Amino acid sequence: MIRSATPDDVPEIHAMVRELAEYEKALPEARATVDQLREALFGERPAAFAHMAVDDEDGSPLGFALWFLNFSTWRGVHGIYLEDLYVRPARRGGGHGKALLTELARICVERGYERLEWSVLNWNEPSIAFYRSLGARPQDEWTVYRLTDEALTTLGATKEGSR
């Protein structure tokens, strides 16, 4: 079963974020706290949204999708950027990841959004094969760039940026 996340789900979402970071060999980079996630998802001005895959019988969390709106200047409408899609290893292969993506695609269609986008690590062949099986295609002509930590702080402190 897929449902919208609730504030009570935040500790489990946090735990799964950490599980995902460990799988992606980046656990030290996963510094978000439960409180930060709660604020982002359910604060006064939510910046992100989440859906849960839960067991039909006991409601236990099996996976989650955390996403936010983006905007295409070329299409003139919003889209969804999927930040994280995760299904616990013991429950993979049961259709939960597809069900989560199906729900996000449904939201896009219902709201007139024209894109559902996400990133995947180049070495994550099982996920790449899964996404391709759904009809998703890589955007090979684009390279993601990111500023974080010292580089972000340095650029943000530059006087030229305040004009």
Side-chain angles (χ1 to χ4, degrees):
M1 178 175 80
I2 305 301
R3 62 169 175 75
S4 294
T6 68
D8 290 340
D9 292 318
V10 173
E12 280 294 334
I13 293 170
H14 182 260
M16 288 188 279
V17 165
R18 296 195 52 80
E19 291 170 27
L20 175 60
E22 185 171 24
Y23 172 75
E24 291 182 348
K25 303 172 180 82
L27 187 56
E29 296 174 44
R31 299 184 303 225
T33 66
V34 171
D35 289 339
Q36 286 173 315
L37 288 176
R38 184 174 290 110
E39 180 65 25
L41 293 166
F42 301 104
E44 188 175 317
R45 294 185 345 180
F49 309 92
H51 283 78
M52 303 294 293
V54 297
D55 187 276
D56 288 336
E57 293 179 16
D58 65 11
S60 63
L62 309 176
F64 77 102
L66 194 143
W67 56 278
F68 55 88
L69 294 179
N70 60 15
F71 185 81
S72 170
T73 57
W74 289 14
R75 298 210 173 197
V77 297
H78 283 291
I80 287 178
Y81 186 84
L82 174 61
E83 178 65 21
D84 285 331
L85 175 70
Y86 181 74
V87 175
R88 289 192 156 132
R91 300 308 292 259
R92 291 182 187 154
H96 308 296
K98 182 177 182 181
L100 286 162
L101 283 171
T102 298
E103 177 62 11
L104 298 186
R106 185 196 65 73
I107 291 168
C108 285
V109 170
E110 179 182 275
R111 297 180 186 178
Y113 302 162
E114 295 189 15
R115 290 182 179 168
L116 172 55
E117 298 178 310
W118 61 91
S119 297
V120 61
L121 291 165
N122 292 333
W123 57 259
N124 192 343
E125 288 297 328
S127 293
I128 291 168
F130 167 63
Y131 298 142
R132 284 182 177 270
S133 77
L134 299 176
R137 296 294 169 248
Q139 300 298 297
D140 295 334
E141 66 274 12
W142 295 90
T143 299
V144 175
Y145 283 82
R146 178 178 295 157
L147 281 171
T148 61
D149 303 323
E150 186 178 331
L152 179 62
T153 302
T154 300
L155 184 60
T158 304
K159 297 281 186 214
E160 290 83 32
S162 62
R163 290 185 188 168

